[in-house]
Structure formats: C-alpha cells, structure tokens
Amino acid sequence: MDLIPSFTVDHSKLLPGVYVSRIDDVNGNKVTTYDIRMKKPNIEPCLNLAGAHTIEHIVATYLRNNEEWKDKIIYWGPMGCLTGFYLIMKGQYDCKVVGDLMIKAFEYTANFTDKIPGTDEKNCGNYLLHNLNFARYEAKEYAEILKTNPCYEYPVS
C-alpha cells in the first residue's frame, strides 16, 4: 500500500507551529486542514492525555463561539500521536491568519478558570479524563511559541 501524504512528512524536522497540511476541493469549495503542531515529534514528550482532552474542549468551544470564525470551522481535534491538533476549515487562509487565531485561542485556554465546557457524563465520552492545569500550562507555552514564528512549510521525506 502507498503511504498517505501525511506519512511522507519528515517528522524529524517538524517544529512547533502551524502548517498547511492539505487543501481539498469539495464540490468547488476549498477545505483546508491545518496542522497545529505543539511538540517536536519524537523529541519532546507528547501532550498529557487529560490535558490534551481539556485543550480540545476549550479550544473547540472558543472557535465555535467566535463570531468571525465559527461558520468556517469544520473540525478541531487531537492528533493520534498527541503532538498537536488538526483544524479543518472552510476556505483557504494564510498561515499567519490561522496562527493569529491560534494565539488567541491558546491564550484564552491559558487563562481559562471556569468549568471546562462539556465535561459531564451526558456531554463527553470520557468526562473524567480532563486536567485544566496541564491544559493551561501547555496552552501558555504554545501561545508564546506562536508569537515568535507561527508558520512553516512541511518538510517532505
């Protein structure tokens, strides 16, 4: 079987930041997948599972309530390797624009002190697997990284 394109990315060269993973055409409309890479793969420890789950809930809620962006968000969720998240959006946006959106979303998460959205038995498939302290720590670190140079192009093997 042929490798899918995301498995041809040289993960040994990935840095934390924002990457355009792919651009698809769906019935004449562009759909863009962004790689929101928070960790250096195979170098840094991956995201804490409970913290990543909490980041997923808070950032998803932030994005889907953001007046400017909510109608453009298709999906927000973690990578299986727990080194970041995927953001899928209607349209095609410059990486810097998405980087700025991520800075705002992760600063929001870093400063979040309320009840984590959607974390009761009726709203979440694993409602006990959350950790706000880990989420806030990772979000603060990532927002600072994005402020220096958020956008990169994929290194291909």
Side-chain angles (χ1 to χ4, degrees):
M1 241 189 289
D2 293 333
L3 285 178
I4 61 173
S6 64
F7 294 151
T8 65
V9 173
D10 187 345
H11 285 68
S12 69
K13 295 179 181 174
L14 287 177
L15 299 171
V18 176
Y19 299 81
V20 174
S21 176
R22 58 185 289 157
I23 301 168
D24 295 292
D25 185 288
V26 180
N27 298 324
N29 299 300
K30 298 286 185 206
V31 173
T32 307
T33 302
Y34 298 91
D35 175 328
I36 310 301
R37 187 68 58 162
M38 296 177 69
K39 301 289 184 178
K40 293 177 189 173
N42 304 308
I43 302 292
E44 294 182 89
C46 67
L47 293 166
N48 168 275
L49 187 56
H53 191 200
T54 301
I55 291 170
E56 176 195 8
H57 278 239
I58 295 171
V59 173
T61 301
Y62 175 85
L63 293 172
R64 292 203 164 102
N65 282 281
N66 182 300
E67 285 301 317
E68 180 181 358
W69 294 101
K70 68 181 182 180
D71 294 331
K72 299 171 179 90
I73 305 300
I74 295 173
Y75 173 78
W76 167 262
M79 297 175 177
C81 61
L82 291 175
T83 61
F85 290 81
Y86 287 114
L87 171 63
I88 303 175
M89 299 176 71
K90 297 175 192 172
Q92 184 176 353
Y93 305 93
D94 182 82
C95 183
K96 178 77 170 98
V97 171
V98 175
D100 288 343
L101 174 61
M102 290 296 98
I103 289 169
K104 291 173 187 167
F106 278 85
E107 284 180 337
Y108 177 81
T109 304
N111 294 308
F112 193 86
T113 57
D114 294 333
K115 181 182 184 300
I116 302 162
T119 55
D120 60 42
E121 194 172 5
K122 291 182 180 181
N123 302 124
C124 180
N126 199 352
Y127 75 101
L128 296 176
L129 183 69
H130 284 279
N131 188 309
L132 184 57
N133 289 331
F134 273 119
R136 292 182 66 201
Y137 173 81
E138 292 290 0
K140 180 180 178 185
E141 295 286 313
Y142 188 61
E144 290 304 313
I145 288 169
L146 290 180
K147 289 177 185 176
T148 60
N149 185 11
C151 301
Y152 296 97
E153 291 189 24
Y154 269 151
V156 180
S157 305

